């Protein structure tokens, strides 16, 4: 508001100074005060601009920080398993770049709208009494400009959305390719990849350019109309001045104010582009927000989870499907006893990992119930439940950082002894200690810098470090040799005294350790019992075991 | 890890090096500068002429005389049109040119870092490399559009304006020159010194933010189960906040610079009035010129209007450039031969007392073995013994320290590594699966493979039954972690992919993980049958029946 006043005032002072000089032959002394005022006006304008910019950026910053945090929390709530999963590159793109582009909406578009609502109107109000013809020119051309802008904006919106989608594709592709570069090289695809990158980057460029073209075209029109407007004002005023129908001071004032009038409208026009970009980004953001999770834990659940020494888990007719077409679990009924080891065996794809995912709370049953000491798991708070669980997945994620940081992920305040003990149980203390930097050795993303088996053992140490009633292990010894496996089994044997262990396994040794072996086939339990029971009663099992057994009788 | 050379580069050298990237496009740049110059000149002329016209008309009106109003009013219209059109063209040309250049830069960058994988690149987070190829290169756009073009425009237009002012009064020219250089260069330069650190930090912080976010997504399961998610959230939020604060800071510097410019404009206008008015009093200048000159001075600052942004963006642009060059300058671990051998005489592979260590970790010492063309052997050994390292050496991902590795009569150092890899196929331990359909994942190994071939390799790898049981078969989409496949299934898909490549040497690093003994036997038997004339090296933890075994 104030700056609108300043704009008008500045024009008026300048006009009046010029008027005095040209027509009243005023000397410098006579207009000294006006000149000083002019400087003060400029200073005020400068301060106001500074304040409004600072405020707009602060406002935008807060929104960005909040938005990013909310999106992140939503991602976390949905968890790692959900339908129609997109590449993480696309999520990263949304969280960083899409949120970033919201900034311009708040720092450019919003202020320009506020200014447009105030300043041109103020200008018109002042200008009308002075000269209605010029004011009419301003009044008539302004809506034309706005009309064109909106017309063009409509097309721009679609283009913007396309641009964002392309960007998201580009990001996913880059991350996928960068992480898989060794494989690409092996298949001589790394050089070809350059062509794909070129194509994608070109497509992104074209999309960007088509968005920009519209933006530039709209500013051309804006520029054109405002130039025509100014020229018309100047010429009509000029003639009336010549015919003595108008005072010079008024004419000059109008000429100075006309560009300002159009400038604010033009600013809105060019920042309309920022709005479109924001809307395109918002679409990406919405897509992320609309991710449906496959778990329906209620975060308001308050039921205290009290697990003493006994943790009894029961599956009661549990069914689960990842999508409508396929049922992954078709009715599981099962009791998992405390401080024992239960092993699931079965073909790959039979549903073992789904059972693990259910226990970890990544997904909840489509129907049926999982009971923890008699109470349904879904009644507890998820965070609390997860404090009771440790997990080693089939492909554990190791983070870029030191080995120690990676193991300690499970328990931040673990002491050196605890760290060493867990590592010993996982048979990795020996090799880690031999490394020049020991536990402080840096490893890369996904554990690069370690051998396959070493990665697995580090992940296992992490699972062992967290002292919890339930330990879920997905093929704990899959990529290990027999000796390492034996060491780890000795570790598991000790841990079993205080923990309930659920494992997915293929190896006989692991299976033999278990009190309960559950055979899963095609989403159903085929049979269960101890190894020796099953050996007696189940021919299928006997056959299976015979084959496993061979592998390790070298 | 850090390339010292590029870190030591001074900002000036760095900027010159960046500018050089744009040098091949000097024609476009000149056109861009020319148009932007025209825009500024037209704009200032428009304003000055209009006010001169108005003043003259008014004077004529008062004196009851007439004047030639056709020429000036035509001029006003012409300048108005010129300004609109040239601004449009300038933007179109400049942006189109930079976007094109950015595509080239991205491809250039990728080509340069590709040889660094995996030995050098594994020291960086993939999100960090991604930030470089995406965000940092995007930032380099500034060099051209927001730094070079505005600066050249400011210098040329500024010069012209000072010259124009000098036609009327030397003092006026001095004020004009001082005002323009103060508002356009000196103040932004001072602020640049203050903002340098924040500008550089912006780039680093946003790369960090990407890194932590990617970790959060790809390691979400672990973070959730281990209750580390809040810590990760905090880490991300911290960077997010830091980034926002830095951006606020930079915006503040930019606004400050603009605010100062505004004050400089005000003072310059007033000072020039103070200079011109006495001239009118002394009647050495017509009064109408006062209007024109005042508005001219006011408008002439458009010449330097882009400068505050140009200086503001400089630090982060330089930082982005530094990060890009850091990888460009990194040395690959494997040096390509100067005169490579283009033909392989036989595919007998031999390690002759090879010694190798990863930096300070010795892994292989005087290790020897032979794999004759068409032969099948197994390398058996405990975890961490160096089995996969052997694969890394054959694939030329790393270079051995001493001894010799030969294929045919020649050391593998004598072949170009890409050429060598054309003849080798590997199923690595890492189960790297791409975010594509199963078919496209397989076709990576052989672009024009027929459906029959796909079926054959999948059958040999014991994965065909599973794939054909899927509703979409080979067209099933593999998500990033391949989570619709179990570990064993992924393993076998990777094996199938390796089988598909028509190579003379096939290496399978633990192909049977997740298979029972029976499955393993059947798989290897079928593979050996399918690849009769191919040399095969199987890496395993346990004995494999029927083939020569080498214990490491
Ligand atoms: N990229 C690397 N950088 C540094 N050290 C490495 C790297 N890759 C492996 N190592 C180290 O080299 C040694 C041999 O690793 P390698 O991967 O060859 O073992 P491996 O025999 O394949 O074991 P596994 O059976 O567990 O896969 C290990 O001690 C490992 O920590
Ligand atoms: Mg290995």
């Amino acid at each position: 508001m104030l700056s609108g006043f300043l704009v008008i005032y500045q024009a008026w002072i300048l006009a009046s100074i010029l008027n005095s000089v040209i027509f009243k032959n005023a000397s410098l002394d006579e207009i000294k005060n006006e000149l000083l005022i002019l400087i003060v006006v400029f200073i005020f304008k400068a301060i106001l601009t500074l304040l409004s910019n600072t405020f707009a950026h602060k406002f935008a910053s807060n929104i960005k920080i909040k938005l990013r945090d909310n999106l992140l929390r939503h991602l976390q709530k949905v968890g790692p398993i959900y339908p129609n999963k997109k590449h993480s590159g696309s999520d990263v793109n949304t969280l960083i770049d899409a949120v970033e582009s919201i900034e311009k909406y708040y720092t450019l578009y919003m202020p320009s709208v506020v200014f447009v609502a105030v300043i041109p109107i103020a200008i018109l109000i002042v200008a009308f009494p002075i000269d209605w013809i010029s004011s009419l020119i301003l009044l008539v051309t302004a809506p034309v400009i706005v009309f064109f802008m909106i017309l063009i904006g409509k097309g721009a919106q679609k283009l913007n959305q396309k641009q964002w989608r392309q960007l998201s594709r580009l990001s996913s592709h880059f991350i996928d390719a960068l992480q898989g570069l060794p494989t690409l090289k092996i298949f001589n695809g790394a050089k070809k990849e350059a062509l794909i990158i070129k194509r994608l980057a070109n497509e992104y460029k074209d999309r960007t350019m088509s968005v920009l073209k519209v933006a530039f075209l709209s500013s051309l029109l804006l520029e054109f109309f405002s130039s025509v407007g100014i020229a018309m004002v100047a010429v009509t005023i000029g003639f009336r001045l010549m015919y003595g129908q108008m005072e010079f001071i008024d004419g000059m004032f109008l000429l100075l104010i006309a560009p300002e009038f159009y400038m604010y409208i033009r600013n809105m026009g060019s920042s309309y582009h920022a709005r479109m970009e924001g809307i395109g980004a918002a679409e990406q953001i919405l897509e992320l927000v609309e991710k449906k999770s496959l778990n329906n834990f209620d975060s308001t659940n308050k039921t205290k989870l009290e697990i003493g020494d006994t943790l009894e888990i029961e599956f009661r007719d549990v069914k689960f499907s990842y999508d409508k077409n396929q049922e992954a679990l078709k009715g599981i009924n099962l009791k998992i006893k405390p401080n024992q080891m239960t092993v699931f065996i079965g073909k790959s794809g039979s549903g073992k990992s789904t059972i693990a995912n259910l226990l970890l709370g990544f997904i909840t049953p489509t129907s049926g119930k999982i009971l923890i000491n008699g109470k349904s798991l879904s009644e507890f708070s998820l965070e609390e439940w997860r404090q009771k669980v440790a997990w080693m997945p089939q492909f554990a994620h190791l983070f870029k950082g030191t080995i120690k940081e990676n193991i300690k992920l499970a328990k931040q305040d673990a002491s050196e002894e605890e760290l060493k003990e867990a590592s010993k149980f996982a048979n990795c203390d020996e090799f880690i200690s031999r490394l020049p930097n020991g536990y402080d050795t840096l490893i890369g993303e996904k554990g690069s810098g370690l051998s396959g088996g070493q990665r697995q053992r580090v992940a296992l140490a992490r699972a062992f470090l967290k002292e919890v009633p339930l330990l879920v292990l997905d093929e704990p010894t899959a990529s290990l040799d027999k000796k390492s496996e034996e060491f780890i089994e000795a570790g598991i044997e000790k841990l079993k005294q205080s923990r309930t262990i659920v494992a997915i396994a293929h190896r006989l040794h692991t299976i033999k350790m278990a009190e309960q072996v559950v055979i899963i086939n095609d989403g159903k339990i085929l049979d269960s019992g101890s190894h020796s029971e099953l050996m007696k009663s189940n021919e299928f099992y006997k056959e299976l075991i015979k084959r496993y057994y061979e592998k390790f009788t070298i | 890890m850090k390339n010292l050379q590029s870190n030591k580069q001074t900002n000036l050298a760095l900027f010159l090096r960046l500018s050089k990237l744009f040098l091949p496009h000097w024609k476009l740049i000149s056109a861009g500068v020319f148009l932007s110059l025209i825009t500024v000149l037209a704009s200032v002329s428009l304003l000055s002429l209009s006010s001169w016209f108005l003043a003259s008309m008014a004077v004529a009106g008062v004196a009851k005389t007439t004047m030639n109003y056709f020429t000036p009013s035509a001029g006003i219209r012409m300048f108005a049109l010129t300004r609109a059109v040239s601004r449009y063209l300038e933007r179109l040309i400049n942006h189109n040119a930079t976007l094109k250049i950015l595509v080239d830069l991205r491809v250039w960058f990728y080509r340069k870092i590709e040889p660094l994988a995996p030995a050098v690149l594994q020291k960086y987070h993939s999100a960090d490399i991604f930030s470089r190829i995406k965000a940092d290169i995007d930032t380099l756009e500034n060099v051209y559009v927001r730094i070079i073009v505005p600066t050249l425009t400011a210098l040329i237009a500024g010069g012209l304006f000072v010259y124009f002012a000098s036609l009327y009064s030397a003092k006026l020219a001095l004020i004009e020159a001082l005002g323009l250089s103060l508002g356009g260069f000196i103040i932004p330069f001072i602020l640049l010194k203050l903002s340098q650190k924040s500008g550089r930090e912006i780039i680093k912080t946003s790369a960090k933010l990407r890194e932590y976010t990617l970790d959060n997504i790809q390691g979400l399961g672990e973070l959730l189960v281990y209750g580390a998610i809040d810590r990760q959230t905090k880490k991300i939020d911290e960077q997010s906040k830091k980034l926002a604060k830095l951006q606020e800071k930079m915006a503040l510097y930019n606004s400050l610079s603009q605010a100062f410019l505004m004050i400089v404009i005000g003072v310059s206008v007033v000072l020039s009035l103070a200079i011109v008015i006495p001239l009118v009093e002394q009647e050495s200048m017509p009064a109408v010129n006062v209007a024109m000159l005042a508005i001219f001075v006011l408008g002439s600052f458009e010449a330097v209007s882009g400068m505050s942004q140009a200086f503001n963006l400089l630090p982060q642009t330089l930082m982005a450039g530094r990060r890009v060059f850091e990888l460009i300058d990194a040395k690959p671990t494997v040096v390509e031969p100067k005169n490579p051998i283009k033909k392989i005489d036989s595919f007998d592979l031999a390690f002759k007392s090879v010694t190798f260590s990863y930096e300070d970790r010795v892994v292989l010492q005087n290790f020897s073995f032979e794999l004759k063309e068409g032969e099948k052997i197994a390398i058996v050994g405990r975890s961490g013994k160096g089995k996969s390292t052997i694969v890394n050496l054959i694939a030329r991902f790393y270079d051995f320290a001493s001894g010799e590795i030969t294929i045919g009569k020649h050391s593998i150092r004598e072949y170009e590594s890409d050429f060598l890899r054309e003849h080798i196929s590997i199923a690595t331990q890492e189960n790297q699966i791409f975010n594509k359909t199963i078919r496209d994942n397989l076709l990576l190994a052989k672009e024009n493979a027929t459906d029959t071939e796909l079926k054959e390799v999948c059958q040999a790898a014991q994965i065909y039954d599973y794939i054909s049981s899927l509703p979409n078969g080979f067209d099933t989409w593999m998500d990033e972690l391949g989570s619709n496949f179990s570990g064993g299934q992924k393993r076998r898909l990777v094996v199938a992919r390796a089988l598909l490549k028509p190579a003379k040497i096939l290496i399978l690093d633990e192909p049977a993980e997740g298979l029972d003994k029976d499955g393993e036997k059947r798989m290897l038997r079928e593979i050996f049958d399918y690849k009769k004339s191919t040399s095969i090296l199987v890496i395993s933890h346990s004995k494999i029946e029927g083939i020569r075994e080498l214990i490491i």
Side-chain angles (χ1 to χ4, degrees):
Chain A
M1 200 64 83
L2 202 55
S3 55
F5 168 75
L6 286 175
V7 165
I8 296 170
Y9 193 63
Q10 175 196 328
W12 183 252
I13 292 253
L14 199 55
S16 114
I17 292 173
L18 292 175
N19 190 44
S20 315
V21 174
I22 299 176
F23 296 99
K24 299 192 188 126
N25 294 323
S27 70
L28 196 52
D29 258 4
E30 289 168 59
I31 53 163
K32 207 170 63 194
N33 286 341
E34 281 168 309
L35 287 179
L36 284 180
I37 293 175
L38 192 58
I39 291 188
V40 173
V41 168
F42 268 100
I43 293 178
F44 262 106
K45 246 176 76 179
I47 293 173
L48 276 181
T49 317
L50 188 61
L51 286 180
S52 90
N53 277 351
T54 312
F55 175 75
H57 276 104
K58 185 137 213 100
F59 187 70
S61 280
N62 287 339
I63 288 184
K64 276 192 303 186
I65 295 169
K66 279 242 173 62
L67 187 60
R68 205 169 269 146
D69 182 65
N70 283 340
L71 289 176
L72 186 66
R73 280 172 203 276
H74 180 73
L75 272 182
Q76 295 168 348
K77 199 177 156 296
V78 170
I81 297 168
Y82 57 87
N84 303 325
K85 199 164 166 152
K86 275 209 182 167
H87 193 274
S88 51
S90 141
D91 288 342
V92 170
N93 183 44
T94 306
L95 244 78
I96 316 287
D97 299 293
V99 170
E100 207 53 59
S101 75
I102 298 282
E103 154 141 344
K104 282 201 195 125
Y105 182 84
Y106 289 102
T107 54
L108 290 179
Y109 180 67
M110 293 280 271
S112 77
V113 170
V114 175
F115 281 130
V116 147
V118 177
I119 297 177
I121 293 174
I123 291 178
L124 279 179
I125 292 175
V126 178
F128 241 103
I130 298 176
D131 176 33
W132 64 270
I133 298 183
S134 315
S135 308
L136 204 64
I137 295 174
L138 298 184
L139 191 62
V140 171
T141 43
V144 176
I145 293 178
V146 174
F147 171 76
F148 271 110
M149 217 169 67
I150 290 173
L151 198 70
I152 289 172
K154 280 271 178 305
Q157 185 157 342
K158 272 229 171 61
L159 291 174
N160 256 302
Q161 287 175 353
K162 276 193 193 148
Q163 184 198 6
W164 273 106
R165 256 175 255 147
Q166 185 65 32
L167 180 59
S168 147
R169 212 171 301 149
L170 185 73
S171 305
S172 308
H173 186 86
F174 271 151
I175 291 185
D176 210 32
L178 288 172
Q179 291 187 339
L181 215 43
T183 303
L184 284 176
K185 285 178 100 164
I186 287 169
F187 294 109
N188 296 89
K191 291 277 186 304
K192 264 182 253 158
E193 184 62 25
L195 299 179
I196 299 175
I197 286 181
K198 186 167 190 164
R199 201 195 67 220
L200 284 173
N202 260 323
E203 275 167 19
Y204 175 58
K205 181 208 89 180
D206 291 341
R207 293 254 176 271
T208 311
M209 208 50 220
S210 61
V211 167
L212 286 179
K213 265 186 197 149
V214 172
F216 296 158
L217 191 66
S218 69
S219 52
L220 171 67
L221 283 176
L222 289 175
E223 191 94 23
F224 178 73
F225 278 108
S226 55
S227 295
V228 169
I230 295 173
M232 264 159 65
V233 170
V235 172
T236 53
I237 292 176
F239 283 107
R240 277 175 298 149
L241 284 176
M242 194 169 78
Y243 300 126
Q245 291 163 356
M246 193 185 220
E247 289 285 316
F248 171 74
I249 182 169
D250 294 339
M252 196 65 212
F253 167 71
L254 287 170
L255 181 72
L256 287 173
I257 205 81
E260 300 283 345
F261 176 85
Y262 287 115
M263 192 188 79
Y264 285 98
I265 295 180
R266 230 169 56 202
N267 275 353
M268 182 170 102
S270 48
S271 63
Y272 200 70
H273 176 58
R275 174 172 178 263
M276 291 294 120
E277 196 181 328
I279 289 179
E283 193 203 38
Q284 299 280 311
I285 291 173
L286 276 181
E287 210 170 89
L288 197 153
V289 171
E290 279 165 4
K291 268 182 190 168
K292 289 233 170 32
S293 63
L294 288 169
N295 69 65
N296 50 8
F297 278 89
D298 188 346
S299 52
T300 55
N301 277 344
K302 289 276 150 45
T303 316
K304 263 266 163 274
L305 178 62
E306 271 168 30
I307 301 169
D309 298 335
T310 53
L311 172 72
E312 245 189 48
I313 304 173
E314 190 186 342
F315 280 63
R316 213 174 266 173
D317 199 28
V318 170
K319 291 183 180 158
F320 182 80
S321 32
Y322 290 97
D323 54 50
K324 285 184 201 80
N325 323 331
Q326 247 183 325
E327 212 167 35
L329 293 182
K330 303 171 177 169
I332 299 283
N333 284 295
L334 173 74
K335 275 202 172 119
I336 295 170
K337 298 205 186 62
N339 299 347
Q340 287 195 351
M341 180 163 171
T342 302
V343 162
F344 292 90
I345 63 170
K347 287 198 299 201
S348 45
S350 57
K352 294 166 297 184
S353 292
T354 306
I355 292 178
N357 286 335
L358 282 166
L359 283 174
L360 295 162
F362 292 150
I363 51 181
T364 43
T366 327
S367 74
K369 262 186 189 160
I370 299 172
L371 301 174
I372 307 297
N373 289 351
K375 283 214 189 79
S376 170
L377 177 59
S378 56
E379 279 173 39
F380 302 118
S381 106
L382 188 54
E383 281 85 59
E384 214 174 324
W385 167 242
R386 283 194 180 137
Q387 281 170 20
K388 316 285 185 203
V389 194
W391 173 50
M392 196 206 71
Q394 206 159 26
F395 296 98
H397 188 88
L398 296 180
F399 298 85
K400 188 172 186 294
T402 63
I403 294 180
K404 187 193 278 176
E405 283 164 1
N406 267 289
I407 300 178
K408 274 179 141 185
L409 182 82
K411 189 177 175 199
Q412 253 225 314
D413 52 0
S415 67
E416 291 293 310
E417 289 80 61
E418 286 175 299
L419 183 71
K420 256 190 151 3
E421 195 180 59
S423 304
K424 273 185 188 141
F425 279 141
N427 187 232
C428 62
D429 176 59
E430 190 198 330
F431 89 81
I432 297 173
S433 306
R434 272 208 316 262
L435 293 171
N437 291 321
Y439 282 87
D440 293 317
T441 304
L442 276 171
I443 58 173
E445 195 187 5
K446 302 199 166 157
S448 62
L450 294 178
S451 84
Q454 289 169 341
R455 278 174 219 172
Q456 192 179 13
R457 282 177 280 164
V458 169
L460 202 57
R462 178 197 276 171
F464 289 168
L465 182 64
K466 188 176 173 189
E467 284 158 40
V468 284
L470 178 63
L471 183 55
V472 180
L473 305 172
D474 202 341
E475 306 195 22
T477 55
S479 42
L480 291 176
D481 55 284
K482 192 158 181 304
K483 268 237 178 63
S484 310
E485 187 186 2
E486 275 166 10
F487 277 117
I488 287 170
E489 279 161 0
I492 292 179
E493 198 66 53
K494 276 197 210 113
L495 289 172
K496 223 166 63 176
Q497 292 158 11
S498 55
R499 287 171 218 202
T500 305
I501 299 179
V502 171
I504 295 168
H506 286 133
R507 300 239 171 137
L508 180 66
H509 269 266
T510 323
I511 295 169
K512 268 185 169 169
M513 285 166 59
E515 280 79 6
Q516 179 174 230
V517 180
V518 183
I519 312 169
I520 307 279
N521 192 27
D522 195 21
K524 281 177 290 214
I525 294 182
L526 212 63
D527 203 350
S528 70
S530 74
H531 172 67
S532 48
E533 280 165 19
L534 286 172
M535 278 304 264
K536 273 183 229 134
S537 62
N538 195 313
E539 281 304 312
F540 176 77
Y541 184 76
K542 229 159 106 181
E543 188 57 29
L544 204 70
I545 288 306
K546 229 176 81 192
R547 294 194 313 227
Y548 274 121
Y549 198 62
E550 280 171 8
K551 187 168 181 177
F552 291 105
T553 42
I554 309 172
Chain B
M1 172 172 348
K2 287 259 151 60
N3 194 304
L4 282 174
Q5 216 183 344
S6 82
N7 268 331
K8 265 196 252 154
Q9 257 172 9
T10 64
N11 284 339
L12 184 66
L14 189 64
F15 187 76
L16 289 179
R17 194 169 171 198
L18 280 173
S19 311
K20 246 192 225 147
L21 296 176
F22 293 88
L23 204 61
H25 309 274
W26 65 271
K27 276 188 197 146
L28 275 172
I29 298 183
S30 320
V33 172
F34 177 71
L35 282 168
S36 113
L37 205 56
I38 296 286
T39 310
V40 174
L41 293 182
S43 171
V44 174
S45 310
L46 174 65
L47 285 172
S48 316
L49 184 61
S50 317
S51 50
W52 178 83
F53 172 66
L54 241 60
S56 306
M57 292 291 261
V59 169
V62 171
K64 302 258 185 285
T65 55
T66 53
M67 62 172 278
N68 168 13
Y69 46 76
F70 288 112
T71 320
S73 55
I76 288 174
R77 263 166 294 181
M78 185 194 75
F79 286 133
L81 258 177
T82 311
R83 178 174 77 166
V85 173
S86 63
R87 175 162 294 164
Y88 172 72
L89 287 178
E90 174 229 322
R91 285 176 166 176
L92 208 58
I93 286 187
N94 279 345
H95 281 87
N96 201 15
T98 28
L99 287 175
K100 262 202 198 111
I101 297 171
L102 290 191
V103 172
D104 293 347
L105 285 182
R106 260 189 257 286
V107 176
W108 164 76
F109 182 72
Y110 171 80
R111 289 216 162 101
K112 289 276 188 186
I113 62 165
E114 180 262 327
L116 303 176
V120 178
L121 289 192
Q122 75 174 7
K123 289 167 188 155
Y124 296 84
H125 199 289
S126 59
D128 184 44
I129 302 173
F130 169 65
S131 290
R132 289 171 208 244
I133 195 169
K134 167 74 195 22
D136 291 354
I137 288 192
D138 275 344
T139 308
L140 294 187
E141 178 188 26
N142 294 336
V143 173
Y144 173 29
V145 183
R146 296 189 187 85
I147 298 176
I148 294 184
V149 171
T151 308
L152 289 178
T153 309
L155 287 174
I156 300 175
L160 287 174
F161 290 155
V162 171
Y163 171 71
F164 180 74
S166 73
L167 294 179
Y168 293 88
S169 139
K171 274 194 206 154
L172 186 67
L174 187 68
I175 293 295
E176 175 76 2
L178 280 180
L180 286 178
S181 41
L182 192 64
F185 293 91
I186 298 173
I187 291 172
F189 183 73
I190 293 170
L191 287 169
L192 164 75
K193 288 280 158 215
L194 296 174
S195 68
Q196 224 157 28
K197 208 167 145 244
S198 312
R200 284 197 296 254
E201 283 290 307
I202 280 189
I203 298 285
K204 285 194 211 156
T205 310
S206 78
K208 272 247 163 57
L209 187 57
R210 277 203 185 82
E211 199 175 308
Y212 294 161
T213 308
L214 189 63
D215 267 345
N216 179 83
I217 298 168
Q218 294 191 329
L220 187 56
E222 276 89 344
L223 290 169
L224 283 172
V225 172
Y226 288 116
I229 199 71
D230 289 339
R231 255 180 287 147
Q232 188 75 11
T233 309
K234 223 176 108 203
K235 254 167 96 177
I236 294 175
D237 280 354
E238 249 165 39
Q239 296 301 321
S240 169
K241 275 190 195 126
K242 189 172 166 199
L243 182 64
K245 290 281 163 260
L246 287 169
Q247 287 167 332
E248 255 178 64
K249 227 175 171 176
M250 291 309 281
L252 177 69
Y253 285 121
N254 195 19
S255 314
L256 262 179
S257 165
Q258 281 168 355
F260 278 122
L261 178 64
M262 218 173 256
I263 295 173
V264 170
I265 295 176
V267 172
S268 306
V269 169
V270 168
L271 284 181
S272 31
L273 278 172
I275 289 169
V276 175
I277 292 170
L279 291 179
V280 176
E281 280 174 57
Q282 296 154 17
E283 308 215 331
S284 58
M285 183 191 276
V288 286
N289 280 359
V290 178
M292 190 265 291
L293 287 176
I295 303 299
F296 159 74
V297 172
L298 184 68
S300 65
F301 281 85
E302 195 177 316
V304 294
S305 59
M307 291 313 294
S308 68
Q309 198 188 26
F311 278 100
N312 194 253
L313 289 173
L314 199 56
Q316 64 198 79
T317 308
L318 287 177
M319 188 65 215
R322 205 176 279 277
R323 280 165 47 87
V324 166
F325 288 133
E326 181 189 334
L327 278 186
I328 294 286
D329 295 338
K331 295 253 175 314
T333 36
V334 172
V335 185
E336 298 293 337
K338 289 217 175 56
N339 302 307
I341 296 175
K342 298 267 194 245
K343 215 175 149 281
I344 296 180
D345 45 20
S346 93
F347 287 92
D348 296 340
L349 169 74
F351 273 53
K352 293 167 190 155
S353 40
V354 170
T355 299
F356 173 76
S357 48
Y358 292 107
E359 282 161 18
D360 42 10
R361 273 184 251 172
V362 183
V363 180
L364 296 177
Q365 249 172 331
N366 291 324
F367 179 74
S368 308
F369 80 94
E370 248 183 287
L371 174 67
K372 288 259 177 279
E373 188 168 342
E375 198 188 2
K376 274 110 189 131
I377 64 166
I379 292 187
V380 179
R382 290 192 55 190
S383 165
K385 277 286 179 198
K387 303 183 294 298
S388 301
T389 303
I390 297 172
V391 182
N392 282 340
L393 292 179
I394 300 174
R396 296 296 278 152
F397 287 166
Y398 290 85
D399 204 6
F400 47 98
S402 69
E404 193 59 275
I405 303 176
T406 54
I407 286 183
K409 287 194 206 70
H410 298 279
S411 162
I412 56 173
R413 281 182 178 143
E414 293 179 56
Y415 304 107
E416 254 175 21
S417 60
D418 271 321
F419 171 74
L420 187 70
R421 281 192 292 260
E422 273 172 33
H423 302 281
I424 298 170
S425 185
I426 306 170
T428 55
Q429 211 172 1
E430 279 86 14
N431 283 356
Q432 178 59 242
I433 283 167
F434 294 92
N435 200 204
K436 302 172 175 178
T437 60
I438 295 180
R439 183 189 307 278
D440 287 342
N441 263 288
L442 290 169
L443 290 184
L444 188 65
K446 187 181 176 191
E447 230 171 336
N448 52 0
T450 62
D451 278 4
T452 335
E453 277 176 295
L454 292 187
K455 187 175 167 187
E456 278 169 9
V457 292
C458 289
Q459 273 172 338
Q462 313 293 308
I463 187 69
Y464 182 72
D465 289 345
Y466 179 69
I467 294 177
S468 54
S469 79
L470 294 168
N472 294 324
F474 279 107
D475 294 317
T476 306
W477 194 265
M478 294 299 290
D479 71 28
E480 182 177 12
L481 305 170
S483 57
N484 40 356
F485 270 50
S486 80
Q489 288 164 337
K490 254 182 280 182
R491 197 83 272 276
R492 277 169 274 149
L493 187 64
V494 169
V495 170
R497 181 168 65 192
L499 292 181
L500 189 60
K501 180 169 171 179
K504 296 298 268 185
I505 298 175
L506 173 66
I507 303 174
L508 305 171
D509 198 346
E510 314 219 4
E513 191 190 304
L515 277 185
D516 56 51
K517 190 69 197 168
D518 214 35
E520 177 177 11
K521 243 198 229 162
R522 186 158 7 110
M523 170 164 145
L524 288 177
R525 198 173 53 230
E526 285 184 33
I527 291 175
F528 293 162
D529 267 358
Y530 186 67
K531 295 269 176 190
K532 275 214 177 67
S533 60
T534 310
S535 321
I536 301 181
L537 180 65
V538 184
I539 287 174
S540 169
H541 290 125
S542 56
K543 189 182 162 60
I544 289 169
E545 277 171 41
I547 58 174
R548 184 155 71 89
E549 176 187 71
L550 186 86
I551 293 174
I552 177 172

